[in-house]
Amino acid sequence: MRTAGVYPNHFTFSAILPACASTSILVHGQQMHCLISKHGYEGYVFVGSALVDMYAKCHDMGLAEKVFVALPERNIVSWNSMIVGCLLNSFHVKALFLFREVRREDLFSPNQVSFSTVLSASANIGALEFGKQVHGVVVKQGLLTLSYVKNSLMDMYFKCGLFDEGALLFNSLGIENRDVIAWNVMSMGCVYNENFEEAYNYLWVMKRAGISPDEASYSTALHASAHLAALDQGTLIHNQTIKSGFSTNTCIASSLITMYAKCGSLDDACRVFEEIDNPNVVCWTALIAACQQHGNGNHVIKLFEKMLADGLKPHYITFVCVISACSHTGRVEEGHAYFNSMEKVHGIIPGHEHYACMVDLLGRSGQLDEARKFIAQMPIKPNASVWGALLGACAKYGNLEMGSEVAGRLFELEPDNPGNYILLANMYAHKGKLREADHVRRLMGINRVRKEPGCSWIDVKNKSFVFTVHDKLHARTDEIYEMLKKVKELVTNKGYVPQTQFAVNSAEELKEESLWYHSEKIALAFGLLALPAGAPIRIKKNLRTCGDCHTVMKFASEIWKREIIVRDVNRFHHFRNGLCSCRDYW
């Protein structure tokens, strides 16, 4: 660090500390701190501010605060180092508190860094009223013209659900003043408020305005395409990333893997992964999640073991995918082993998602009592996802006694979730307890809980066609119902037997007939009519597909010799040659 006779001064340390912060290697920063103390520069405001920044970026806010409190003099840089540090380490409430303290100081005022950071903290915890107050101060201090501040204001309003307010700020910028960050914030605002089509359209509008998209632009557009399962749009965006030189960007690569997977094209997702030179843990997790969503549990385990062998450290979401894959393939012992390794081997404390996956693992294998004991021994309070996994298992195995108790807990935790009422009502109906089933449905009415109408959609020639139960609004309705008759006849000849338990809301004599008016069957019939012979039929559904439709899809894939891909609310089902990728374990 120094040659003979030449000693570092406080300017030297102020310049070196940011390098320690950028590498996030705490031990290097601590060595610098020792040298600073030795030379007596700890009380210099710029050195102290740099120390606070270094400790914050190395994720040790305790030491950062200790240095900050000990500073004999503070300036706005010192305060900003602490506020930014709190944001980086998710101490959002603390960031808001520190901002208030800055406002009380008479010697200086918050600057654009202070405002931008505290607005981001407000956005992350949904502190709308505080954010509005900050907006007022921004206007008073004449900082609204600064794009750095205005972008943070837009983000705050979008994340707090006030889309119109955020869009108004964006529109007030004027095209010539919109940088790539402003466009990205606007696009992400659309995603937060589920305007997915508008979100990816902003990518093309941005390009027409002469702004070159960055990795955040492409990742957001791919994220929006994935939500809509808009494969054609996602493919166009993929082409643009290649033309723009982002083909080796790991952030975009992971977004591409997720997009292709959620659009039903697992082969393309795998192809993207194979083209990455040095995939990081995010890319590995994206592919593991893709395989898990598509019911390829065996491949999930192989990928996970390969990732570990390559020396990569799995993170929180990786284990959610791996344990879920074990659950959907009946790997009870392996699931237990992976769960136990989280804290012991990898230092990751299990969260509600992992406990829910474990309950699902035990429940799917029929070990309901073990699942109940597992919940009782949880070190954290079980939430709705944990109890929901157990209720699903109770419904599968017809354990009405345990199911009614679990449903009662769920009614308290999430009284507005219609799925819990419907599962319990169906359990009563399957047991012949129609009066109790009706009581549960009346309870839904009393609590003003509405079941989301089931619908399925299918894309033909870049256009989406949506179908509901008993749908007769399509221009080709007569042809669709003729095709449904043909499907019914052919699958019956193959050995199909109606599973009338999935028509619980119909009169007994109409149950078999009503099964044939489910939205995914109507979408299948339309796909057989409208898509070229041999082309895959991709159907999306907003709810879980029923067992009877699952059986019909298997028969249809064999009869018409084509792949049928159904994406429901939980996962993908790939039907080929009379078999499903889930192996009927779903």
Side-chain angles (χ1 to χ4, degrees):
M1 180 176 171
R2 63 184 178 88
T3 56
V6 179
Y7 290 88
N9 59 22
H10 61 288
F11 293 113
T12 311
F13 286 116
S14 295
I16 291 173
L17 282 168
C20 298
S22 66
T23 59
S24 296
I25 300 175
L26 182 59
V27 65
H28 293 170
Q30 288 174 322
Q31 289 168 354
M32 286 295 113
H33 194 172
C34 289
L35 284 171
I36 288 165
S37 298
K38 181 180 178 181
H39 289 283
Y41 294 133
E42 202 170 16
Y44 283 69
V45 66
F46 285 106
V47 176
S49 300
L51 275 171
V52 171
D53 179 65
M54 181 274 295
Y55 280 125
K57 287 178 179 172
C58 291
H59 306 294
D60 193 331
M61 284 305 295
L63 285 175
E65 187 166 16
K66 190 175 180 181
V67 172
F68 178 77
V69 170
L71 281 174
E73 179 190 354
R74 296 172 195 153
N75 61 10
I76 191 61
V77 178
S78 317
W79 284 99
N80 283 346
S81 296
M82 269 302 288
I83 296 170
V84 171
C86 288
L87 177 67
L88 289 174
N89 291 277
S90 300
F91 296 128
H92 304 302
V93 175
K94 179 79 171 177
L96 270 57
F97 170 79
L98 289 168
F99 180 82
R100 287 196 187 98
E101 292 298 302
V102 175
R103 292 270 295 146
R104 290 194 183 103
E105 293 280 341
D106 295 328
L107 298 176
F108 41 78
S109 298
N111 61 13
Q112 61 175 329
V113 175
S114 321
F115 284 113
S116 178
T117 306
V118 79
L119 284 166
S120 296
S122 301
N124 290 337
I125 58 173
L128 177 60
E129 290 308 313
F130 188 88
K132 284 181 175 180
Q133 290 171 17
V134 174
H135 188 174
V137 179
V138 165
V139 172
K140 285 180 182 177
Q141 293 196 195
L143 298 177
L144 194 58
T145 55
L146 298 174
S147 59
Y148 196 55
V149 175
K150 191 169 260 189
N151 291 339
S152 298
L153 269 171
M154 285 162 49
D155 183 59
M156 184 274 294
Y157 280 119
F158 288 141
K159 285 181 178 175
C160 290
L162 295 185
F163 180 80
D164 291 342
E165 283 78 354
L168 191 65
L169 284 166
F170 177 77
N171 293 329
S172 70
L173 281 169
I175 292 177
E176 68 283 355
N177 295 320
R178 295 171 188 167
D179 57 12
V180 67
I181 297 172
W183 285 100
N184 289 345
V185 171
M186 185 66 218
S187 185
M188 274 307 299
C190 293
V191 171
Y192 294 140
N193 291 274
E194 300 187 354
N195 301 325
F196 300 115
E197 189 171 351
E198 194 174 347
Y200 61 63
N201 281 338
Y202 270 111
L203 178 72
W204 311 114
V205 179
M206 181 196 315
K207 285 177 68 67
R208 286 197 295 271
I211 302 294
S212 298
D214 61 10
E215 69 172 46
S217 316
Y218 285 118
S219 293
T220 303
L222 288 166
H223 184 66
S225 301
H227 264 281
L228 292 178
L231 180 59
D232 292 338
Q233 186 64 229
T235 304
L236 284 173
I237 297 167
H238 188 181
N239 292 338
Q240 283 296 316
T241 64
I242 296 169
K243 290 177 182 177
S244 304
F246 285 99
S247 56
T248 59
N249 185 291
T250 53
C251 176
I252 290 175
S254 64
S255 297
L256 280 166
I257 292 167
T258 302
M259 182 276 294
Y260 278 122
K262 288 191 173 181
C263 290
S265 187
L266 184 60
D267 290 342
D268 285 321
C270 293
R271 198 171 295 116
V272 170
F273 181 81
E274 287 163 5
E275 291 172 357
I276 305 170
D277 290 332
N278 294 299
N280 58 18
V281 67
V282 178
C283 295
W284 277 100
T285 300
L287 186 63
I288 287 169
C291 293
Q292 184 267 324
Q293 288 165 359
H294 285 260
N296 199 339
N298 294 330
H299 197 47
V300 167
I301 305 304
K302 288 179 184 175
L303 286 169
F304 182 67
E305 293 297 338
K306 177 72 167 60
M307 186 186 82
L308 294 179
D310 285 358
L312 287 165
K313 181 179 173 63
H315 57 44
Y316 190 94
I317 300 298
T318 317
F319 276 105
V320 174
C321 300
V322 170
I323 300 170
S324 179
C326 291
S327 172
H328 285 86
T329 51
R331 297 169 178 260
V332 179
E333 290 184 10
E334 286 177 79
H336 268 290
Y338 286 128
F339 178 82
N340 292 333
S341 74
M342 285 182 64
E343 195 165 1
K344 292 178 182 177
V345 179
H346 302 285
I348 300 171
I349 298 172
H352 283 109
E353 297 93 336
H354 305 104
Y355 285 105
C357 287
M358 285 300 296
V359 172
D360 189 56
L361 173 78
L362 294 166
R364 282 180 188 274
S365 63
Q367 301 179 49
L368 299 185
D369 290 332
E370 288 300 314
R372 188 70 181 81
K373 288 176 187 174
F374 182 84
I375 293 174
Q377 294 168 0
M378 281 175 58
I380 57 177
K381 188 176 180 180
N383 66 358
S385 66
V386 175
W387 289 115
L390 185 56
L391 180 61
C394 292
K396 180 179 180 179
Y397 289 98
N399 190 328
L400 185 56
E401 182 181 353
M402 188 183 293
S404 59
E405 181 221 329
V406 172
R409 292 179 180 271
L410 284 165
F411 293 160
E412 293 177 7
L413 287 170
E414 44 178 19
D416 298 328
N417 185 345
N420 301 324
Y421 295 91
I422 292 162
L423 269 179
L424 182 60
N426 289 350
M427 287 173 69
Y428 278 125
H430 292 160
K431 292 288 185 180
K433 298 188 175 186
L434 301 181
R435 183 179 297 175
E436 289 85 346
D438 287 339
H439 172 73
V440 175
R441 293 192 187 98
R442 282 198 301 273
L443 189 61
M444 286 181 70
I446 292 167
N447 293 337
R448 296 182 179 179
V449 179
R450 292 176 61 86
K451 177 187 174 184
E452 183 181 2
C455 69
S456 299
W457 62 101
I458 183 170
D459 296 333
V460 177
K461 294 180 181 178
N462 294 327
K463 187 176 179 182
S464 294
F465 296 88
V466 182
F467 299 95
T468 56
V469 178
H470 288 266
D471 199 308
K472 293 189 177 181
L473 297 176
H474 195 276
R476 300 180 69 178
T477 292
D478 292 341
E479 293 176 80
I480 290 169
Y481 279 87
E482 278 300 315
M483 177 58 77
L484 265 181
K485 277 187 189 178
K486 184 177 179 181
V487 173
K488 182 178 181 181
E489 181 183 337
L490 291 174
V491 299
T492 301
N493 291 340
K494 278 280 187 179
Y496 160 76
V497 177
Q499 299 174 57
T500 54
Q501 69 267 31
F502 295 108
V504 293
N505 290 330
S506 302
E508 197 63 40
E509 63 275 11
L510 299 174
K511 281 189 174 184
E512 183 177 337
E513 183 183 352
S514 71
L515 287 172
W516 282 95
Y517 299 129
H518 285 191
S519 62
E520 55 265 60
K521 289 193 181 85
I522 298 173
L524 170 65
F526 177 67
L528 290 168
L529 286 169
L531 291 168
I537 297 174
R538 303 176 191 272
I539 299 168
K540 281 84 76 175
K541 183 167 184 181
N542 65 330
L543 304 175
R544 188 176 187 266
T545 192
C546 83
D548 189 77
C549 290
H550 189 268
T551 301
V552 168
M553 298 293 172
K554 288 197 295 182
F555 280 118
S557 69
E558 183 181 13
I559 294 165
W560 272 272
K561 307 295 182 190
R562 60 202 295 176
E563 183 180 14
I564 301 169
I565 303 162
V566 177
R567 170 191 168 180
D568 69 9
V569 72
N570 291 329
R571 62 191 305 104
F572 280 89
H573 296 269
H574 292 256
F575 301 93
R576 297 186 186 97
N577 302 316
L579 300 172
C580 180
S581 58
C582 73
R583 297 179 177 85
D584 297 338
Y585 193 85
W586 58 290

